[in-house]
Each structure stands twice: as structure tokens, then as C-alpha cells.
Amino acid sequence: MEKTPSHKNKSSHCGKIISVRGSVVDVWFENNLPSIYTVLHTGKDKQVILEVLTQLDVNRVRSIALTPTQGLARGMEVETTGEQLTIPVGKEIMGRMFDVFGKTIDKKPPIKATEWRSIHQVPPQLSKRLTKSAIFVTGIKAIDVLIPMELGGKSGLFGGAGVGKTVLLTEMIHNMVLHNKGVSMFCGIGERCREGNELYHDMQEADVLKNMVMMFGQMNEPPGARFRVGHAALTMAEYFRDDEHRDVLLLIDNIFRFIQAGMEVSGLMGQMPSRLGYQPTLGTELSKLEERIANTDAGAITSIQAVYVPADDLTDPAAVHTFSHLSASIVLSRKRASEGLYPAIDLLQSNSKMATPSIIGERHYNLAREIRQTLEQYENLKDIIAMLGLEQLSLEDRNIVNRARRLERFLTQPFFTTEKFSGIKGKNVSLKDTLDGCERILSDEFKELPESTFYMIGTIDEALERHNEKSNKNGINIHESENSPSI
């Protein structure tokens, strides 16, 4: 079994267990009381790992277990080298999967890392942060136009099972690696082992695993391990940003489970709960994690975080504290997924703080507003169309419906990571091409083209090519091919 260097060839001093209450272990030391966050080793072969959270008095510390505590008993010897929990960093970690202790869990040979770093790092200083907001271009049309993401910012991804959340994350990893020469980092907090296994093999098949690092704190692990896996993943991401000066895409699934693990730890430590049972230190603990995700003069860590909202209550403390850190919210819709409109992003529910003229420019801002307005008007007309039919609408309203339906289809996109399932070659579209396409649709330039020609294409020119090919094949004139849009 791999061991971290903190337990090898170091001068250590010993204590003994005086109390075991589930995951909470109290340890007595004669002298040299360990400091906060120090790692302790105990149990058979010193395989049980504890982390000091509180100094009770001059001889006692209270610690939380990061591994199961079966077999522990009072009087057992505890060893410590006085070091914090460390994980490996460096080029050797690329393409590998780790647990919170930096041990590989992908059944491949152990890595030979030259450097191990503490997971408890301070956020970058304000003087090193870039104050100018920049856009993180994903190559995905719907996101780049309507929900621009911030480079070095944090975006929330809201979606249930089966709406394409993992596919969207996988595509972002692919585009990051392919075009930005960046590093992708996936952090699973409280993940089911099935989800981690599926994601690992999906990444392997999509040929993006070699440029990413994966770290998991699984659902069955003690709350202490789930609470620390986010910090461990961030330490790896910070290495690529600060030492190698590369941009990092950090995917966290699920940030609510980090808060949940903190709540369990707080309860075990005997702290008085706050509102709705959450820990009183919720805001501080979340900020310690989120503030390390930043855009500095060395590089940027851009984070996309899956966010679970308890009982769909947006006033829940976990949701409120998370929202305050996010610069963009991407909402996935099951209704759009059922209509085959992938990526299934609800374009009206999603929003971004970056969508201001001073950041994205006047033209982009005005186009995004016009697109939203058109889609919203179409949404309001749907009930009338369902009851009375499209023919009962005024000419102006019919034009709005035509534009909106073409925009909806133009903002679908074939992904590189789904080529083997769909048989359609993946497309990566520049922001300029996307804006040009939307502008031309809004100006009714393609009014005569059927809606189907806009579905699952890259640039707008592909719609013309597809239509011309179909026309030549069937011998149909462009003006005769218009079909009345249906709801």
C-alpha cells in the first residue's frame, strides 16, 4: 500500500487514545501537543489516519478520522510527525485517479512523485489576482453567447440525472485540453462509486484522460475524508496554475456534499448547530475552498460546480452561500432533453454576471438580449399556438416563432465526446461564428430554410450547405422547401 512521505523517515512523537466516539477520537500527549490540522496515525500497522481539529487543553487534542475507525480502543498508541495531510503534485499525476490521501485508485502502478504538498493552502493574495474580468470560451455555442463563463471564475451547473450533465462536463474537458492546452481536474465529493467508474471509462474512451487528473472522496467514506477531498484537489490544481503557468478547468461534483460533510463533522465535534441544522462555520468553510479558485498573474483556475438545491428551496443556507460565489448559473432542462435539443440548457433560466457590455462588448450584449427576448416571446406564445394553432397568430408573431425555433436549433451542437453514439462529427464553434449566425437568423436571412437544416450544426454556413445538398439531391428549389413550423 502507498504511504505518504509524512509517515516515512520522519522523527515522530507518540500519544495514546483516551476516547473514541464514532469518527471523533481524543488523544492524550505528554508534551509537544500537535497543532491544528496535524495528521495522526494509529490502529493496526498505523493505517487509521486522524486529523487534529481542536486542542482541548495542554495534553489533549480532539481529532476527526479520515479512515474507518473499526478496531480502535482506548490506550492504543498514536504517532505523529507534526505534518499536515499531503498529496503528490507534478507531471506524474496526469491521467491518474487518486483518493484524498494521494494514493492511486486506478489499479495502475503507484506514482513516483518528487514533491508532496499540504492540502491546506492559503488563497492567492489580492495583489496577485487579476482584476480584469475575462471570458472563458468553451466552444459550446449556447454557453458562449448567453451564459458567458468567467476565466478564473466559478459556474454552477444545475441538472438532474439523464439530462446530459456528464456529457456537457466531458465536452468542456475535451475542448479545454484540445484548444487551450490546459489541464482538467475532476473532483468527486461524495460520489457514488458507479458514477466515478463510469466517468473514468468515459474519459478514457474519449481520449482526454491523459490530460486530466481525477480525485474522489466516495459516498461510503467517513465525513472527514469527504470534507477534505475538495482541498486536496485544489492543491493539485494550484500546482498547475502557479508552477506550470497553465489554465486549469476544475469540475466539482457535488459542492452540496462538501457542505453536508462539514455539517457531519461539525455535529460529531459537538458544535451547536445553526439554522436548519447547518454548521455555524458554513460560510467560512465554503469560502476557504472557493476563494482558492482564482485568476492570477500566473494562470487561472476556472471551476464548474454541480450544485444540488435541497427540496428546490433556493433560500436554503447551502444554496444561498454557494450562489454568492458563482459568476454563472447553467440550468439543464429535462424538457429540452426530451425534445432532442442538446446541450439541454434552459436558455431563459440560465444567467451570467459576465453578460454586461463592459465585459463582453456592446454587440455581444445586444445580441444576447435580443435572443433572450425572442425566446421569451416564443415561450409566451406557446399556449396560444397549442389552443388555436399557428395560423391564428399575427404575421409579426409568426416571424418571432420562426426566428425562435431556428435559434433553438442553431444553438444545439454535436459533441466530440458523443461521436461514437450519434455518428455526427463533433463541432467546436468560435464565439465570432456563433454571434454571426445568431445575428443573421434574427435578421430573417434564412427565413426560407427549413428548421431541420439548423439542427446539430456548427457554423451557420453549414445550414446553407446542408440545404443546398438536399435541394440538389431532390431537385427542389429553395423557395419551395419551407415547411410551416409546428409547436
Side-chain angles (χ1 to χ4, degrees):
M1 180 182 282
E2 293 176 71
K3 289 183 181 179
T4 62
S6 60
H7 195 52
K8 290 181 180 178
N9 306 321
K10 300 274 184 181
S11 61
S12 61
H13 60 280
C14 299
K16 66 178 181 180
I17 295 175
I18 54 174
S19 168
V20 181
R21 296 189 306 281
S23 291
V24 176
V25 181
D26 289 356
V27 185
W28 187 88
F29 285 90
E30 182 70 45
N31 47 39
N32 294 329
L33 201 67
S35 58
I36 304 298
Y37 297 151
T38 299
V39 170
L40 313 176
H41 297 266
T42 187
K44 186 181 178 182
D45 299 325
K46 299 293 182 282
Q47 293 300 312
V48 178
I49 300 173
L50 316 171
E51 185 181 65
V52 176
L53 289 187
T54 311
Q55 293 181 341
L56 298 174
D57 53 38
V58 291
N59 289 112
R60 293 184 304 148
V61 295
R62 181 159 290 168
S63 61
I64 191 82
L66 305 181
T67 53
T69 55
Q70 285 94 332
L72 287 193
R74 284 190 293 175
M76 277 190 171
E77 188 182 71
V78 177
E79 285 185 9
T80 178
T81 59
E83 292 197 344
Q84 298 179 354
L85 186 64
T86 58
I87 52 152
V89 295
K91 290 181 170 61
E92 300 86 359
I93 67 173
M94 295 296 286
R96 303 302 299 271
M97 183 159 61
F98 298 89
D99 64 10
V100 70
F101 307 108
K103 298 172 186 172
T104 54
I105 53 174
D106 52 8
K107 295 184 178 178
K108 292 181 182 177
I111 63 164
K112 296 176 181 177
T114 54
E115 186 182 356
W116 292 68
R117 287 186 186 173
S118 167
I119 66 168
H120 300 285
Q121 302 289 337
V122 294
Q125 297 174 2
L126 288 175
S127 58
K128 291 186 177 178
R129 293 179 184 236
L130 294 186
T131 53
K132 188 179 179 184
S133 295
I135 297 301
F136 174 74
V137 179
T138 62
I140 298 169
K141 292 184 284 190
I143 293 175
D144 289 344
V145 171
L146 291 173
I147 324 149
M149 290 167 53
E150 183 183 7
L151 187 68
K154 297 165 274 278
S155 303
L157 182 61
F158 304 82
V163 293
K165 183 171 60 177
T166 303
V167 172
L168 191 58
L169 293 179
T170 311
E171 185 71 6
M172 286 185 184
I173 292 170
H174 181 277
N175 292 351
M176 177 74 173
V177 169
L178 194 68
H179 299 279
N180 299 344
K181 306 294 183 226
V183 179
S184 295
M185 178 95 212
F186 185 91
C187 173
I189 305 176
E191 283 283 279
R192 299 170 185 87
C193 58
R194 170 186 59 78
E195 293 172 333
N197 183 57
E198 286 174 5
L199 186 69
Y200 179 80
H201 290 294
D202 285 347
M203 297 292 135
Q204 208 166 27
E205 288 171 27
D207 198 32
V208 296
L209 188 62
K210 61 181 181 289
N211 288 303
M212 70 177 295
V213 186
M214 301 176 82
M215 179 169 277
F216 288 95
Q218 288 173 205
M219 195 175 268
N220 63 306
E221 293 183 25
R226 286 182 273 125
F227 191 49
R228 291 296 178 220
V229 70
H231 298 94
L234 261 170
T235 302
M236 288 181 172
E238 285 167 341
Y239 164 80
F240 291 111
R241 180 190 67 189
D242 301 334
D243 292 45
E244 294 199 4
H245 304 289
R246 297 171 74 179
D247 287 343
V248 184
L249 178 63
L250 173 65
L251 307 164
I252 301 177
D253 188 8
N254 185 307
I255 202 68
F256 174 75
R257 291 183 192 139
F258 165 78
I259 294 170
Q260 207 170 31
M263 183 165 55
E264 290 177 51
V265 169
S266 176
L268 288 166
M269 294 298 290
Q271 292 179 337
M272 183 72 73
S274 182
R275 183 169 159 248
L276 297 183
Y278 285 101
Q279 61 271 42
T281 51
L282 168 60
T284 310
E285 289 168 0
L286 187 61
S287 297
K288 272 185 182 176
L289 186 78
E290 297 281 10
E291 287 301 306
R292 288 170 66 180
I293 303 168
N295 185 7
T296 69
D297 47 16
I301 298 176
T302 304
S303 175
I304 302 169
Q305 306 170 7
V307 183
Y308 167 70
V309 182
D312 293 331
D313 179 15
L314 294 176
T315 63
D316 187 273
V320 170
H321 282 86
T322 305
F323 285 136
S324 65
H325 292 281
L326 300 178
S327 56
S329 302
I330 302 167
V331 181
L332 296 180
S333 158
R334 194 171 301 281
K335 184 172 180 293
R336 284 180 66 85
S338 66
E339 292 170 0
L341 299 172
Y342 289 104
I345 298 169
D346 190 323
L347 301 171
L348 295 176
Q349 290 288 324
S350 306
N351 61 76
S352 169
K353 292 177 183 174
M354 296 293 103
T356 60
S358 58
I359 297 173
I360 60 176
E362 287 286 346
R363 179 187 175 231
H364 185 168
Y365 175 73
N366 291 332
L367 266 175
R369 276 192 65 187
E370 197 175 345
I371 292 166
R372 281 186 184 276
Q373 195 173 8
T374 304
L375 293 173
E376 202 163 338
Q377 287 173 319
Y378 173 45
E379 195 67 33
N380 294 335
L381 290 168
K382 277 185 177 178
D383 288 340
I384 299 171
I385 298 168
M387 288 186 290
L388 304 175
L390 190 70
E391 296 75 20
Q392 300 301 316
L393 296 179
S394 66
L395 184 61
E396 186 183 343
D397 285 346
R398 251 182 284 180
N399 286 335
I400 287 169
V401 172
N402 287 337
R403 286 180 211 129
R405 289 180 66 85
R406 281 159 177 74
L407 280 170
E408 278 186 338
R409 279 146 188 78
F410 176 62
L411 292 174
T412 61
Q413 189 169 340
F415 285 169
F416 290 97
T417 48
T418 57
E419 280 180 11
K420 59 182 180 292
F421 306 116
S422 64
I424 307 171
K425 187 169 169 52
K427 308 283 183 185
N428 185 280
V429 188
S430 70
L431 178 59
K432 181 183 180 301
D433 288 339
T434 307
L435 292 174
D436 288 345
C438 292
E439 193 171 43
R440 291 168 74 180
I441 290 171
L442 288 167
S443 64
D444 288 336
E445 188 177 326
F446 304 102
K447 194 177 179 181
E448 307 300 328
L449 266 64
E451 295 164 6
S452 58
T453 55
F454 297 90
Y455 181 68
M456 286 292 171
I457 60 170
T459 62
I460 198 71
D461 294 330
E462 290 176 35
L464 287 167
E465 289 168 17
R466 183 185 286 183
H467 181 68
N468 290 337
E469 282 174 20
K470 199 172 180 181
S471 298
N472 293 336
K473 193 175 179 181
N474 300 330
I476 300 173
N477 184 280
I478 187 170
H479 295 288
E480 295 172 351
S481 61
E482 171 69 0
N483 294 319
S484 294
S486 57
I487 189 69

